[in-house]
Amino acid sequence: MSDNVFLPTGGWRLWSQFSLRGPGFPAAGVLRLAPDGLAAAADKFDRGTPLSGVDWTAFEEEFGTAAVATALELQDIAARPDFRAAVAWQNRTVLGTGIKPFLDWTPTAAGRSSMPRQREELVAHYWQRFCVKNDTIGFFGPVGWGRWDLAREGVTVDPGEGLIAESTVYFSSWAIDTLARVLGEDPALRRWTPPRRVSFVRITADTVHLPGRPPQPITPDQRELLSRCDGTRSPVDLAAQLGRTEDEVLAGIEDLTKRRWAVWRLEVPTTAHPEQHLRSTMERVGDPAVRDRALAKLAVLEQAKQRIHHAYGDADALSAAMAALEQDFAALTESAAVRAKNSRTAPCRSLVYSDCRRSATATLGSAVLAELTPLALCLTAARWLTNRFAESMTARIRTAYEKLLAKHGRVDLGALWFECLPVPHPDSTAEIDRIQAELRERWTRIINAPDGARRIRLSSVDLKDQVEAAFGEPGDAWNIARYVSPDVLILAEDADAVARGEFELVLGELHVAMNTVGASLFAMQHPDMAELLAETTMDFPGPRLMPMLPKEQPPRWSTRSRPALVRPEDYFAGMVDYTADPHNPRALNSADIEVLDRDGRLLAILPDGAEFPLLDVFGNALTNRVMDRFSLRTNAEHSPRITVDRMIIARETWRFVAAKLEFTAEKSEARRFVKARQWREELDLPRYVFVTSPTEPRPFYVDFDSPVYVNILAKAARRLARTDPDGRITVSEMLPNPEQAWLTDDQGQRYTSELRFVAVDQTGGAS
C-alpha cells in the first residue's frame, strides 16, 4: 500500500485511506420501476399530437397495465425483509401505517385511488434512497473503506463476504442525557454528583468574572470550594479535602449554583457510547443502595439496546425490540421516546441509531491519481476561500479583543467568545456570502463559458496559470482548514474499464475546512482506528487546541458527526458547552485561557504555558460557515457541464420555477407522464437526474422513464409552489447513472458509490 500520496501538482497530500460510500441495495433496483416500452409509447405523442382518440385510448390502457405491474414490483420490494428492516430503522411506524396496508392491497387499474398511489410513492421514495443515494447510515448506507496502491493501475474491488462486515447499535446522546437527568433527581445521589465550575467563570483573588457582567465579590471559603469544583470531585470528596462537614459543602455548592458560578448535575460527555460513561460515573458512587438503584435503571436500557442489536435485520423483531425500548424509556424517564421533527431538532431523533462497516473494500491505483489534477485546482481555490474568511474574521475578532482589553486590561477566551456571539462573529454570514460570490466570479472568468453552452471541455494545463493567479497562495487559516474532503465518483462501466483507461471522474461535493472521515460515523466503523490516528499525527505532529462542541446543533450536527480522531496530547477548551470528560487533564475552561497579542498575532495561552493561534479555537465555528461554500454553479437558470481533462468538476444543472411546470398540475397520471416527457425532450434533459427542492429534506432521484418517479417530482414541485410561488427546484444530471456502477458485492451485484478523500494542505505550517 502507498503511505505518501500526493496530488500530481504537489501541495496536497491525500490520506492513504479513503471512505467508500455507497447504499446497501443494488443500483439496478430503481430500474425495476421503469416499465419496458412505456417511455417509447409515450414519446409517440409530441406537442402537436392531441391526447385523445383511438391511439390515446390504447396508450391509457397500456399505461394502466404498466401502472399495475409497477405496483406489483413495489409490493415485491416492500415485502423484502431487508427493505422492511431498513424502513424500521428510519421510521418503524411507517411499517404499520403505510407498508402493511400497501401489501394488503390487491393492485388493479381501477383500484389505484389516491391512497394506494401515495403508498406506492412512499415505497418508491425509500427505494431510491436505499439504491442510489450514497448516504452513510445503517446497513442501507454502510461505511466502506479503501486504500491507495500506486503499484497498481486502476481500481480493484475485494467484495468480502456478504454486504456487512460489522454492525453496531448506538444510543443517541439525548437519550442517555435524559436518563442522567432523571437519575440526578434522586436526592440521595446529590452527595455523589460532582459539581463543576462554569467554563467561562474566571476566579481572581477576591472576585469572580463573568462575560458581560460586572465583577462579583467572592469570599475565601467560596473561592476555595469553587476552585475545586472541577467535575471530578463529589461533595463527599470535597468535604474530606476541605475538612468541612458534608452539610456545609452541600450548602456551599447550592450557593455557587444559585450564583450561576457552578453547575451541579450528572453530565455525560460527548462520546459514541454515552451509556458506558454514565455507568462508570454511577459505579463511583460510594453508597451501594444509591449506586445499585441507578445502575438497575441504566441496565434496563442497555438490555433493550442489546435486544435491538440481535434483531438487527428482522423487521418484525426489530420493531418489537424498538417498541420495548421506547416503553422502558418512557417508564423510566416519563419523557417522550421520539423527539418531534422541527427546525430545532438535530439529527438522531430516535433513542438509538446504527452504523455499519461494508464488507467490500477498494484499492485505487496510479491511473486514478494521474487524473486528479483538476481536483488540485479546485482545492487551491478552496484554500483561497478559507484564507479570505480567516482574514476577515481575524480582523473582527481583533476588534472585539481590543475592546475587552481596553475595558478590563486582560482578556480571557471565555469573555472573548461571548463578545463575538453569534460565533465566530455577527458579520460572518454576510462575509462568507461576499467571499463565495467573489470565488464564483473568478471561476466564471477563468472558465469563460460561451452563452448557451451545454458542454465545456478544458485542459488543466491551460487553466493552471489562471487558477494560480486568481487563487494561488499558501494556507494561512485555522488548523482544521488545512483539510478538504472531496467526494470523487468514478464513471466507468466496471472496474476493469478503469485499468483500460476507459473512465472519467466526477467531482461531487467539496467539504471545505473539515476532515469528514474523522467524524464519529466514519471513524468508529474503521477496522483499526489507530491507522486513522496515525494519519492525523502526520498532519499535526504536536498537540491541537480544539473547542468543546455542543452535542447537537440543528440541522446537521449530532454525536455521529463529532470529531472522533482525538489523541491524548490534544487540548479541549470548554466555551459555553462543556462536553468533554472532566477527568481528561487537558480539558480546560475557557476562562482559564488567556488571549494575548504577540507580534501582531492573537494567541491562546493555556495554563501550562502552551500557545496556539487563537483562530484554532474558533475553528469549528468558522468551518460551519465555509464547509459547503465551494461551488462553481451560479444561480443561473442553466449551468453547463464543465470537464477538465478527465474530471467533470460541475454537472449540468437547471433551475425551474416550480409553479411554472405545467405537467405537474395534470390530474391524469398518463397525461402527466406524457407531458413530463415532452418537457424533458424540449430541454434535452437526461433520463436520470437528481432534484433538489427547498421543501424536501434531501435531493431525490428521478427517472423520466418511470411514472412513479415522475409523480414524486410533480408532487414535490406542487408542494414548493404552494409554499413559495417563486420557489425553484434544481435539476442536476446524475453522473454516474444507475447503469454505470463498478462497486460489486460477493454476488456480483453492482452498487453506486463515491470516494470520500481527505486532502491535506502542505503549503502552510501545522498548528
Side-chain angles (χ1 to χ4, degrees):
M1 299 299 171
S2 302
D3 293 330
N4 290 302
V5 181
F6 294 91
L7 290 181
T9 58
W12 292 90
R13 181 178 86 87
L14 294 179
W15 274 23
S16 62
Q17 302 183 54
F18 51 85
S19 176
L20 176 61
R21 303 184 71 213
F25 290 78
V30 291
L31 302 180
R32 295 173 58 182
L33 305 185
D36 289 341
L38 188 65
D43 292 344
K44 295 176 182 177
F45 300 92
D46 56 27
R47 284 287 190 184
T49 304
L51 303 185
S52 60
V54 175
D55 289 343
W56 178 250
T57 299
F59 175 76
E60 284 187 310
E61 291 178 0
E62 182 178 355
F63 185 92
T65 300
V68 172
T70 299
L72 291 170
E73 287 281 359
L74 286 165
Q75 284 187 325
D76 185 63
I77 291 166
R80 290 177 55 148
D82 51 0
F83 175 85
R84 296 177 64 247
V87 172
W89 277 108
Q90 288 291 280
N91 184 352
R92 66 178 179 81
T93 60
V94 169
L95 291 176
T97 61
I99 304 301
K100 185 180 185 303
F102 179 59
L103 290 173
D104 291 341
W105 169 63
T106 300
T108 63
R112 292 184 64 254
S113 58
S114 174
M115 186 56 70
R117 290 201 306 271
Q118 289 182 39
R119 290 167 179 155
E120 289 176 6
E121 293 164 15
L122 172 70
V123 174
H125 210 292
Y126 274 116
W127 190 235
Q128 59 88 28
R129 182 182 181 188
F130 297 160
C131 290
V132 294
K133 291 293 299 300
N134 297 322
D135 286 338
T136 304
I137 184 168
F139 71 87
F140 46 95
V143 178
W145 291 99
R147 295 174 182 265
W148 287 97
D149 184 353
L150 300 185
R152 304 190 186 195
E153 284 290 322
V155 58
T156 304
V157 178
D158 180 353
E161 184 177 341
L163 177 67
I164 301 300
E166 186 177 9
S167 63
T168 307
V169 178
Y170 300 89
F171 274 115
S172 298
S173 60
W174 70 268
I176 299 302
D177 286 342
T178 302
L179 179 62
R181 176 182 55 78
V182 172
L183 295 180
E185 293 172 354
D186 183 349
L189 193 60
R190 295 290 276 171
R191 59 194 292 263
W192 301 103
T193 302
R196 176 181 57 79
R197 172 166 53 108
V198 172
S199 57
F200 48 83
V201 167
R202 181 165 60 89
I203 312 170
T204 58
D206 55 3
T207 55
V208 167
H209 300 261
L210 283 84
R213 296 173 61 182
Q216 302 172 37
I218 186 172
T219 67
D221 284 348
Q222 288 174 325
R223 187 183 190 282
E224 188 176 25
L225 177 59
L226 182 58
S227 65
R228 292 174 185 262
C229 291
D230 60 2
T232 69
R233 300 177 175 96
S234 71
V236 174
D237 298 329
L238 292 169
Q241 293 174 12
L242 296 171
R244 304 180 193 173
T245 67
E246 283 189 27
D247 287 343
E248 289 174 334
V249 168
L250 292 170
I253 297 172
E254 192 69 42
D255 175 63
L256 297 179
T257 58
K258 287 180 179 178
R259 295 174 185 272
R260 299 186 179 179
W261 297 350
V263 293
W264 188 16
R265 57 177 178 251
L266 276 180
E267 294 185 308
V268 181
T270 300
T271 171
H273 301 287
E275 76 282 7
Q276 294 178 7
H277 188 278
L278 182 58
R279 172 168 286 279
S280 66
T281 299
M282 293 299 95
E283 288 173 344
R284 288 193 289 268
V285 172
D287 185 327
V290 176
R291 179 179 63 241
D292 293 346
R293 187 161 62 241
L295 288 174
K297 294 180 179 179
L298 175 59
V300 170
L301 299 189
E302 290 175 324
Q303 292 163 8
K305 179 171 80 77
Q306 190 64 20
R307 288 193 293 271
I308 289 174
H309 175 75
H310 290 314
Y312 198 88
D314 184 327
D316 294 333
L318 180 61
S319 296
M322 286 180 168
L325 171 61
E326 292 173 4
Q327 291 172 2
D328 289 339
F329 181 84
L332 287 172
T333 66
E334 298 182 355
S335 303
V338 178
R339 294 185 297 179
K341 186 175 182 179
N342 56 54
S343 60
R344 294 174 295 175
T345 304
C348 299
R349 295 186 297 120
S350 59
L351 295 172
V352 294
Y353 62 92
S354 73
D355 279 315
C356 300
R357 176 162 54 89
R358 192 180 209 106
S359 293
T361 59
T363 303
L364 293 183
S366 57
V368 176
L369 182 64
E371 301 301 334
L372 289 181
T373 296
L375 172 62
L377 300 179
C378 295
L379 296 178
T380 297
R383 182 173 60 211
W384 175 91
L385 177 79
T386 56
N387 281 355
R388 295 290 79 74
F389 190 54
E391 284 179 0
S392 175
M393 292 300 99
T394 296
R396 285 160 171 77
I397 293 170
R398 174 172 286 281
T399 299
Y401 165 80
E402 291 173 349
K403 175 183 174 182
L404 291 174
L405 185 65
K407 185 175 182 180
H408 302 293
R410 182 187 188 280
V411 180
D412 67 73
L413 181 58
L416 182 58
W417 186 268
F418 273 80
E419 188 66 26
C420 293
L421 290 176
V423 176
H425 192 273
D427 294 340
S428 60
T429 300
E431 275 299 283
I432 194 58
D433 285 345
R434 178 187 63 79
I435 295 166
Q436 182 188 40
E438 184 177 348
L439 180 141
R440 284 174 168 167
E441 289 172 5
R442 294 185 180 205
W443 267 112
T444 298
R445 291 196 295 269
I446 291 170
I447 293 169
N448 193 26
D451 291 341
R454 297 284 305 271
R455 300 285 185 269
I456 307 295
R457 279 201 167 270
L458 303 168
S459 164
S460 59
V461 173
D462 296 335
L463 295 181
K464 181 178 181 298
D465 290 343
Q466 296 181 69
V467 170
E468 190 66 24
F471 303 113
E473 58 191 30
D476 188 26
W478 56 101
N479 53 3
I480 57 176
R482 295 183 62 210
Y483 287 123
V484 183
S485 299
D487 293 331
V488 175
L489 299 88
I490 299 176
L491 202 165
E493 293 302 318
D494 52 37
D496 292 339
V498 181
R500 296 194 302 268
E502 300 169 1
F503 72 95
E504 285 187 301
L505 302 177
V506 182
L507 179 62
E509 292 183 288
L510 204 68
H511 307 274
V512 178
M514 63 190 309
N515 174 4
T516 57
V517 168
S520 179
L521 69 98
F522 290 105
M524 295 299 294
Q525 308 312 313
H526 193 277
D528 186 358
M529 193 185 292
E531 294 184 351
L532 301 184
L533 289 169
E535 296 267 18
T536 303
T537 298
M538 287 184 66
D539 305 329
F540 297 95
R544 296 170 293 175
L545 177 60
M546 306 165 72
M548 294 186 201
L549 302 174
K551 291 183 179 179
E552 295 185 334
Q553 187 170 298
R556 289 173 291 192
W557 184 261
S558 71
T559 303
R560 293 183 75 237
S561 50
R562 70 179 179 86
L565 299 180
V566 178
R567 306 162 301 170
E569 61 265 35
D570 294 326
Y571 293 91
F572 281 95
M575 314 307 291
V576 177
D577 299 275
Y578 194 101
T579 54
D581 185 348
H583 291 86
N584 181 350
R586 296 204 168 192
L588 308 172
N589 288 328
S590 58
D592 299 335
I593 300 174
E594 187 174 6
V595 180
L596 293 178
D597 186 334
R598 293 260 180 90
D599 300 323
R601 296 182 69 217
L602 291 178
L603 300 177
I605 313 299
L606 276 51
D608 65 2
E611 300 180 358
F612 294 90
L614 174 67
L615 217 56
D616 288 359
V617 82
F618 283 83
N620 284 87
L622 294 163
T623 290
N624 283 341
R625 292 287 185 267
V626 305
M627 62 184 183
D628 55 0
R629 291 296 188 137
F630 182 88
S631 174
L632 304 184
R633 298 176 186 166
T634 65
N635 290 327
E637 292 185 357
H638 173 258
S639 300
R641 180 196 296 181
I642 302 170
T643 305
V644 179
D645 301 340
R646 280 188 174 182
M647 175 174 275
I648 298 167
I649 63 172
R651 296 177 173 94
E652 188 173 12
T653 303
W654 300 259
R655 299 178 75 244
F656 303 104
V657 176
K660 294 183 179 180
L661 300 182
E662 296 180 358
F663 72 88
T664 67
E666 282 289 345
K667 300 297 183 182
S668 160
E669 282 187 286
R671 290 176 180 272
R672 185 187 307 143
F673 182 63
V674 168
K675 290 190 174 182
R677 293 192 58 78
Q678 291 173 349
W679 172 74
R680 167 187 170 258
E681 179 67 22
E682 289 173 359
L683 295 170
D684 194 22
L685 299 179
R687 172 181 170 180
Y688 307 108
V689 299
F690 274 109
V691 178
T692 304
S693 169
T695 57
E696 304 303 313
R698 55 182 62 86
F700 58 92
Y701 158 91
V702 172
D703 175 359
F704 282 104
D705 283 13
S706 168
V708 68
Y709 284 119
V710 169
N711 288 346
I712 289 172
L713 168 61
K715 183 173 289 186
R718 293 196 299 269
R719 186 181 299 115
L720 176 58
R722 289 193 300 269
T723 303
D724 178 6
D726 297 320
R728 291 175 178 263
I729 62 170
T730 301
V731 178
S732 301
E733 59 178 334
M734 182 184 183
L735 292 174
N737 66 45
E739 299 171 297
Q740 298 166 320
W742 54 268
L743 176 64
T744 55
D745 63 14
D746 57 350
Q747 303 299 312
Q749 299 181 104
R750 296 187 180 191
Y751 298 78
T752 65
S753 62
E754 65 186 26
L755 312 171
R756 174 71 58 84
F757 295 139
V758 179
V760 193
D761 179 24
Q762 304 296 293
T763 64
S767 299

